[in-house]
Each structure stands twice: as structure tokens, then as C-alpha cells.
Amino acid sequence: MSFRIGVLVSGEGSNLQALIDSVHGQDGIEIVCVGSNNPDARGLVRAETAGIATGVFPAGGYGSREERDAALADWLAERRVDLVVLAGFMEVLGPVFVRRFAGRIVNVHPSLLPAFPGVHAIDEALAHGVRLMGVTVHFVDERVDSGPIITQEAFDPVPYSRDIAAVEKRVHEIEHRLLPHVVRLIAAGRVRIDPDQPRHVIVEEDDGDH
Ligand code: GRF
């Protein structure tokens, strides 16, 4: 039986590419569709090149954000996705969408959450002068970048001279490893919310529990 993934992107789609290259078609995992709010997202081209179905759901194309979210949710449900991966999807999905896929949506974020949620995380972290930056992969709940954390990896931004392009490159290197790793663990049934502490995620890495 395959594990079916829907990926949502808004732009470049380098995280989608990492998933296509290292997860798609392996161990029964299939990316069955890639959706975007942005018709010009490069991620859509990456999906088409890989032979993956695409769909465009611009917020402005519907009567309301709720209607857009419902159309997107229906599209994902029709494709029987087991997991929705937000890979650089830059719009907030409303509570109806989140509840419909409860516990089955993950996001990758370029900061050590709960520090610096939102769309300017890297700029804000550098402006703040942090000594540690990083990447978080987390479940999505009804608030922005706030759901239970699955994994995080930190790095020291100082060697990159606080040059934003160099820091972004380092962030992407980490994301492109961490997100596929988490997706593989979820597909293998190795990630679950602790029923006694719903903020806590139990992750069975290869070398034991973390
Ligand atoms: C990533 O840095 C991700 O953390 C953030 O948006 C960026 C998307 O990059 N949410 P890409 O489109 O995957 O290249």
C-alpha cells in the first residue's frame, strides 16, 4: 500500500524538489499532487517535470478565503492524500482546512520556533542578533507556525557573516535534509503525538526514541 502525499508550494519549490529527489517513488511513498496559490510558482514546473499532477488555487479566484480552502481541501481529499506537506506555502490555511486534515499537515519553517514565526523569520532573527538559528519541522495547527514540533536543527549564523544569502543557503541545506527525513518517518508510522501531552511529539528515530 502506498503512502500518498500532497505538497503545497508558493514559489521556488526547492523543498519540493528535495522530496521528489529523495522520497517520491521510494518505500511506497508517492507525491500524488502539488498545489499552489500562485500560478507562477516554479514548484509547479518542478512537479510537472516529475510527472506529478498540479493544481492552482489563488485566493483571489474564489469568493472568500474559506471557499478557496474548501476547494483545495476537496482536491487533496479526492486524491486520497495521507499527508499534506507545506513546503514554502506562504498563505495561512483556515481552521476548517486544518481540522479536516488534523494531525496530517506538516510545515517546514526557517527558524527555531517558537522564535520568529511568520514570513520574515530569517531577517528578523538576523536583525535580533541571535547566536543560534535553525529549522523547524512541525505539525500545523490553527495558529501560525505554532503546532507541535517534530524536529529542529540549529546552526551558528556567525560564520556566515550574517550575510542573508549565505544564511538562506545554509537554511535550505538543512531543510532539504530534515523535511524528507521527517516525511519518511511519518510514512513509516514512526511519528505520533503523545496522547498524554499533546504538545509533545514522539519520534522513533532509527537509533531509538527521541
Ligand atoms: C523555505 O525556507 C521554508 O522554510 C519557508 O519558505 C521557504 C521555501 O523555499 N517556509 P522553497 O520554495 O522550498 O525553495
Side-chain angles (χ1 to χ4, degrees), residues 59-77:
Y62 297 83
S64 66
R65 189 61 81 89
E66 289 73 21
E67 283 175 41
R68 190 286 302 274
D69 285 4
L72 178 56
D74 287 345
W75 185 75
L76 292 163

Side-chain angles (χ1 to χ4, degrees), residues 1-8 16-35 47 50-53 75-76 79-85 104 180 183-188:
M1 232 184 76
S2 69
F3 186 85
R4 301 169 66 83
I5 298 176
V7 182
L8 302 184
L16 166 67
Q17 190 67 53
L19 290 168
I20 291 171
D21 293 344
S22 67
V23 172
H24 182 52
Q26 296 184 34
D27 301 323
I29 306 172
E30 298 292 333
I31 301 173
V32 294
C33 55
V34 172
I52 299 167
W75 185 75
L76 292 163
R79 280 150 189 80
R80 294 177 285 114
V81 301
D82 299 298
L83 182 70
V84 179
V85 178
R104 295 190 291 139
V183 167
R184 277 193 292 270
L185 288 172
I186 292 174

Side-chain angles (χ1 to χ4, degrees), residues 9-17 43 46 86-90 107-111 118-119 122 135-136 145 168 171-172 175-176 179:
V9 299
S10 294
E12 178 59 31
S14 69
N15 280 285
L16 166 67
Q17 190 67 53
R46 295 179 188 269
L86 307 187
F89 187 70
M90 304 308 274
N107 181 44
V108 60
H109 182 77
S111 78
V119 293
I122 295 176
V135 170
T136 302
D145 298 327
E168 281 172 351
V171 164
H172 273 117
E175 290 181 339
H176 297 167
L179 183 62

